[in-house]
């Protein structure tokens, strides 16, 4: 027991939060990270940045080797704001702007995320985010592939209708015009692709805690997660 405790104390704890798009991983991740004083990895942003980088260099979206080079050479920097909001990443020292969060960018990111070479090129970069006192990492394969030894693995789900509604409200609140039906179609198509790809498909790790958020709000999800964090005694290294 004491030996196990000794090695556990030396490890930097990771809380993995996975799930489909629009399920609230980002919001939950930011809150949990801010609460615990942990670092945050938005792994989807990395795939989106590769998409933007590939577009900027006119790399064909079916050229896996060239896309992997873009991923390996990505000059990206994440900075945290004073509060819990994640400041937008810098690509080549420049803010990337709204383009990063567009449906189009998410769609391209989802397509290139299907290439094993791209995923491998991003693996070490993602693991480098694991620094004391701890890390909250959100994505599709944080618990299953990138941090298989995470202290806690959460997999969020919600109906596609509910997720489309949430996304719709977010866009409208930002003053971005949107319609529900196409959003629903896009989210369903992206889910299917992320779930059915052969490499690192989106699925709960065998030891993940699955939380269906369809009928509960973010405050309740946060409370449930923090309860598990406290039961498992997870705190900064
Ligand atoms: O979470 P997001 O919507 O920003 O992610 C955009 C796409 O990137 C998503 O549709 C699939 C891919 N992705 C992935 O394959 N693995 C991750 N860990 C994160 C994102």
């Amino acid at each position: 027991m004491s030996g196990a405790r000794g090695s556990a104390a030396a490890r930097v704890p990771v809380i993995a939060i996975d799930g489909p798009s629009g399920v609230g991983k980002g919001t939950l991740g930011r809150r949990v990270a801010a609460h615990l004083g942990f670092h945050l990895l938005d792994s989807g942003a990395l795939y989106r940045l590769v998409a933007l980088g590939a577009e900027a260099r006119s790399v064909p979206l079916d050229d896996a080797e060239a896309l992997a080079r873009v991923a390996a050479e990505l000059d990206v920097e994440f900075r945290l704001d004073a509060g819990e909001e994640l400041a937008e990443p810098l690509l080549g020292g420049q803010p990337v702007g709204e383009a990063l969060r567009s449906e189009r960018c998410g769609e391209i990111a989802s397509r290139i995320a299907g290439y094993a070479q791209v995923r491998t090129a991003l693996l070490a970069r993602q693991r480098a985010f694991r620094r004391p006192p701890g890390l909250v990492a959100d994505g599709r394969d944080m618990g299953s592939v990138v941090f298989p030894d995470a202290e806690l693995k959460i997999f969020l789900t919600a109906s596609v209708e509910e997720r489309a509604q949430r996304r719709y409200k977010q866009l409208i609140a930002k003053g971005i015009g949107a319609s529900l039906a196409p959003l629903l179609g896009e989210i369903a198509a992206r889910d299917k692709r992320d779930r059915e790809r052969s490499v690192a498909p989106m699925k709960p790790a065998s030891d993940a805690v699955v939380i269906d958020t369809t009928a509960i709000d973010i405050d309740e999800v946060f409370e449930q997660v923090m309860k598990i964090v406290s039961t498992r005694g997870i705190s900064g290294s």
Side-chain angles (χ1 to χ4, degrees), residues 21 25 43-45 47-48 101 106 109-110 113 119 126 139-142 190 194 197:
S21 66
K25 306 181 296 286
S43 63
Y47 287 92
R48 287 170 183 263
R101 296 291 156 202
S110 166
R119 305 199 72 84
Q126 294 174 87
R140 305 290 186 290
D141 62 341
M142 297 297 98
R190 192 129 74 85
D194 293 346
R197 68 177 173 226

Side-chain angles (χ1 to χ4, degrees), residues 120-190:
T120 304
L122 290 180
L123 204 53
R125 195 185 281 270
Q126 294 174 87
R127 289 182 175 152
F129 277 76
R130 186 175 198 166
R131 294 190 308 268
L135 176 69
V136 175
D138 90 63
R140 305 290 186 290
D141 62 341
M142 297 297 98
S144 54
V145 175
V146 181
F147 302 108
D149 62 340
E151 272 62 24
L152 173 59
K153 301 174 186 179
I154 301 289
F155 192 92
L156 300 181
T157 64
S159 71
V160 66
E161 291 79 12
E162 174 63 23
R163 289 184 282 126
Q165 275 284 356
R166 290 178 192 168
R167 182 81 183 122
Y168 175 76
K169 284 186 197 152
Q170 264 176 6
L171 290 171
I172 298 297
K174 280 194 202 164
I176 302 170
S179 332
L180 196 54
L183 265 181
L184 204 142
E186 282 160 14
I187 289 180
R190 192 129 74 85

Side-chain angles (χ1 to χ4, degrees), residues 2 9 37 47 55 61 73 100 108 116 133 153 161 176 192 211:
S2 61
Y47 287 92
E55 269 204 322
L61 296 183
E73 292 163 8
L100 189 74
I108 299 174
K153 301 174 186 179
E161 291 79 12
I176 302 170
K192 185 168 154 54
I211 303 178

